[in-house]
Amino acid sequence: MLSAATLLVSGCIAPLVIGGAAVTTTTVMTDRRTTGTIVSDEVVEKRIAYDVSQALKNKPYHINVTAYEGRVLLSGEATSLEDRRKAEEIAVKSLDVQGVINEIAVMDPSSVSTRLSDTVLATKVRTSIIGNSTISLNQMKVAVERGIVYLMGVVTVSYTHLRAHETCADLV
């Protein structure tokens, strides 16, 4: 349940929450996770998304699954609390899942324009991270739902890179 505004920071090692990325040679070389963990996270995302789609196939929903080091973020919308709980139950019981953060809102699925705005915002966040010499985009995943930014990963920041008025959250 982490948003850009509420990063959990302890000694500026920030566990963060976020979305899927294709595995490329560059990503694997610079990602802090092992190749096996990267592949496992991708498999977890696909498996849970498929299992949720099968469980809710005749119901309106919009649920995204993001995994980082076995931790799963469920985001999006389900039209009932029962469907929200079902998606979480599926994720919790899934192989290789170490924890689940359920950010699914109980409401009608978001509109195409909302999803487009979320995509634009995610691109802006990624661009901001790429332009920051203190952290790397390959250290995290970015997901956006209804204007809420979620970051997943592990970022270590040296205090020497922070100005007097900055915090780790200011870097994102």
Side-chain angles (χ1 to χ4, degrees):
M1 186 181 334
L2 304 174
S3 68
T6 59
L7 297 175
L8 296 177
V9 179
S10 68
C12 275
I13 297 177
L16 308 170
V17 187
I18 304 215
V23 177
T24 64
T25 303
T26 304
T27 301
V28 170
M29 289 174 53
T30 60
D31 198 307
R32 292 179 178 208
R33 300 172 294 167
T34 65
T35 303
T37 301
I38 294 169
V39 172
S40 178
D41 287 342
E42 294 292 325
V43 170
V44 163
E45 289 176 0
K46 303 292 187 259
R47 181 185 326 114
I48 293 171
Y50 176 79
D51 290 347
V52 168
S53 75
Q54 294 305 297
L56 305 179
K57 70 172 126 188
N58 295 322
K59 300 178 179 187
Y61 72 93
H62 167 245
I63 296 174
N64 288 311
V65 180
T66 307
Y68 194 95
E69 290 187 346
R71 290 172 198 86
V72 173
L73 169 68
L74 299 174
S75 59
E77 305 85 30
T79 54
S80 73
L81 188 56
E82 178 185 332
D83 291 346
R84 181 183 191 272
R85 287 183 184 143
K86 182 67 176 171
E88 182 174 359
E89 179 183 316
I90 289 167
V92 167
K93 291 180 178 179
S94 189
L95 185 65
D96 296 327
V97 171
Q98 296 177 11
V100 176
I101 300 158
N102 189 346
E103 289 292 312
I104 299 170
V106 177
M107 60 188 289
D108 288 334
S110 59
S111 67
V112 172
S113 64
T114 297
R115 293 181 201 178
L116 181 58
S117 291
D118 288 344
T119 301
V120 170
L121 180 55
T123 300
K124 288 178 181 179
V125 170
R126 288 183 186 102
T127 302
S128 171
I129 292 169
I130 289 169
N132 186 319
S133 63
T134 310
I135 58 176
S136 169
L137 185 57
N138 289 339
Q139 296 172 318
M140 67 186 74
K141 291 184 176 184
V142 176
V144 178
E145 292 290 343
R146 298 175 319 281
I148 303 167
V149 177
Y150 300 94
L151 303 174
M152 292 183 80
V154 178
V155 179
T156 304
V157 180
S158 167
Y159 284 107
T160 60
H161 289 99
L162 298 176
R163 292 183 214 105
H165 64 280
E166 286 183 319
T167 66
C168 291
D170 294 328
L171 297 175
V172 178

